[in-house]
Amino acid sequence: MRATFPTYTIGIILFIQSFLIGQWNTGGYVEMEADITPANTFTYYGYYKLRFDLEKEINRQIEVNCSILAKQYWGQDEFLIKDYFPINPDYEFLSFTMNDTLYIDDLFLVWRTESLGELIIGRQPISLGSAYVWNPTDIFSPKDNFDPTYELQGVTALRWLYPIRSFELDGIIQPIQNGNDANMYLGLKGNLQHFDYTISVINRNYEYNYAQPYQYYKDTSIGFSVVGEILTAGVWFESNLVVRGDHYPDNREWAFGIDYTTPQSLYLLLEAYHNDAGAGYTPGQYYPVSQVLDYLDGKIRTLCEDYIMLMSRYPLNQWWSIGAWTLRNMNDKSEIFSLQLTGSPLQDIAVDVSIFSFLGSGKTEFGIQESWIRARLNVFF
């Protein structure tokens, strides 16, 4: 049964906006999406989404930010995992449900001082690393591999940014559910000619589905990321090496990429990724259910070890662009291919229409899935 939020909450948000207008900076958007699977089994589903942003500068030092998000689904809302991942038939009953939501996505305070730097307290957006799809040094906000530029959920954390001559110190502490430990990140950012780099030490606590509830594993890792330009091409590299770990000792994770825009405005991108923690692939065998569940929960970045992404985009005119991208699992040889039409036909309106096609055998990560069409509309205010 789908959980719903009261319809009058939209009115409450609009009332808050009218009450605060003139005192707070406000903004946000309405998003509508429809997804259709037209092939073997016709299904449709989608959602309506409202994001309402508030910002208030108390004085030169203190700023308060709040974002309220409401999302309501329509059409199919329960999905069997076996339709999207090749798992053992004994687990065909496993499913996930898309529930309606209303929550505070961001709520944080920014305190800027000359002597102590910048302190950010509360549920806040955090995005770390230099790579486009996969960020090995980001333990807080995993991206959607199908839509890596989509906004990330807020993270409850304490963040401290402190300049040291030509460097910047970036410290993050995130509480976890067991209440007696925390995820911690300490990075040192610098610049060397045409390159920006970050060296980091990361302490992570993580829970897997096959472990007991709130039984956490720990690891400590050294991270490095760099982004810059060689000739006229953008390049980036990001890595994370576990130096001490309970579950994946000596785990290596890295991403490398390059992008380039031709004189004819054709944009090209390539990114490769490796993760030792990914599942090994045996032809004809099912993937471990625990690995699939951890991937769906965002506890691991990818299902397998090695991936590559290729993307291109070309502007048709000042309003519309066409693009294509492919994401390939290098272990089981399955892949996704997508064609996209994006544009802004009117001011403050964005449109995205995408077609997704899946290639590979029935026991591979992407080969088991059916092709689908997605249409998304955003209206900003």
Side-chain angles (χ1 to χ4, degrees), residues 113-131:
T113 68
E114 293 185 4
S115 58
L116 297 176
E118 183 175 298
L119 194 65
I120 308 174
I121 307 168
R123 186 175 171 90
Q124 57 191 282
I126 294 178
S127 180
L128 302 172
S130 56

Side-chain angles (χ1 to χ4, degrees), residues 172-227:
I172 303 172
I173 299 176
Q174 177 196 26
I176 61 174
Q177 284 181 295
N178 67 6
N180 57 29
D181 212 329
N183 294 324
M184 291 179 282
Y185 170 95
L186 183 63
L188 184 66
K189 304 176 183 178
N191 175 270
L192 183 62
Q193 294 186 350
H194 300 294
F195 292 89
D196 297 320
Y197 64 87
T198 302
I199 302 171
S200 54
V201 178
I202 303 166
N203 184 70
R204 180 177 68 132
N205 297 265
Y206 51 96
E207 179 188 20
Y208 286 100
N209 279 295
Y210 54 80
Q212 295 298 318
Y214 306 131
Q215 177 183 335
Y216 286 84
Y217 295 96
K218 299 180 181 180
D219 63 35
T220 302
S221 58
I222 303 296
F224 175 75
S225 68
V226 61
V227 59

Side-chain angles (χ1 to χ4, degrees), residues 81-94:
I81 292 178
K82 72 176 182 65
D83 293 335
Y84 298 89
F85 296 94
I87 59 173
N88 191 298
D90 293 341
Y91 298 94
E92 288 187 349
F93 62 91
L94 291 175

Side-chain angles (χ1 to χ4, degrees), residues 255-373:
F256 167 79
I258 181 170
D259 66 356
Y260 175 71
T261 302
T262 71
Q264 295 76 29
S265 300
L266 175 64
Y267 176 76
L268 302 168
L269 177 145
L270 178 149
E271 184 167 290
Y273 172 76
H274 172 80
N275 183 8
D276 282 353
Y281 173 71
T282 302
Q285 298 296 314
Y286 297 103
Y287 280 106
V289 173
S290 59
Q291 195 89 358
V292 171
L293 294 177
D294 289 332
Y295 172 61
L296 289 174
D297 287 344
K299 297 170 183 175
I300 53 177
R301 233 173 292 275
T302 55
L303 184 60
C304 280
E305 296 178 340
D306 300 290
Y307 293 80
I308 190 167
M309 180 182 220
L310 297 170
M311 185 177 73
S312 64
R313 185 170 60 244
Y314 183 75
L316 296 174
N317 50 42
Q318 60 179 323
W319 301 286
W320 295 97
S321 297
I322 56 171
W325 60 265
T326 181
L327 175 62
R328 182 173 176 82
N329 181 325
M330 302 300 289
N331 302 113
D332 68 14
K333 310 304 181 187
S334 64
E335 63 183 293
I336 313 166
F337 178 74
S338 176
L339 291 174
Q340 294 179 302
L341 175 66
T342 58
S344 183
L346 297 172
Q347 184 178 358
D348 298 326
I349 292 180
V351 177
D352 178 348
V353 179
S354 300
I355 300 173
F356 299 88
S357 179
F358 299 86
L359 307 173
S361 68
K363 288 189 177 180
T364 58
E365 178 180 3
F366 302 132
I368 193 174
Q369 301 188 41
E370 295 185 15
S371 299
W372 97 83
I373 302 170

Side-chain angles (χ1 to χ4, degrees), residues 143-182:
K143 296 177 181 176
D144 181 350
N145 296 344
F146 287 14
D147 200 356
T149 60
Y150 196 76
E151 68 183 16
L152 302 173
Q153 285 192 355
V155 177
T156 300
L158 171 66
R159 188 172 193 178
W160 179 47
L161 300 167
Y162 183 74
I164 306 174
R165 295 185 180 180
S166 60
F167 300 95
E168 184 179 53
L169 195 64
D170 186 359
I172 303 172
I173 299 176
Q174 177 196 26
I176 61 174
Q177 284 181 295
N178 67 6
N180 57 29
D181 212 329

Side-chain angles (χ1 to χ4, degrees), residues 68-137:
I68 302 170
L69 192 149
K71 198 170 185 179
Q72 188 169 42
Y73 290 89
W74 55 269
Q76 183 181 5
D77 63 350
E78 186 172 4
F79 303 85
L80 292 173
I81 292 178
K82 72 176 182 65
D83 293 335
Y84 298 89
F85 296 94
I87 59 173
N88 191 298
D90 293 341
Y91 298 94
E92 288 187 349
F93 62 91
L94 291 175
S95 65
F96 59 94
T97 303
M98 311 299 286
N99 292 316
D100 298 342
T101 55
L102 172 65
Y103 63 96
I104 296 177
D105 189 35
D106 295 326
L107 180 58
F108 61 95
L109 180 146
V110 182
W111 180 30
R112 302 180 182 93
T113 68
E114 293 185 4
S115 58
L116 297 176
E118 183 175 298
L119 194 65
I120 308 174
I121 307 168
R123 186 175 171 90
Q124 57 191 282
I126 294 178
S127 180
L128 302 172
S130 56
Y132 176 72
V133 185
W134 304 281
N135 297 109
T137 61

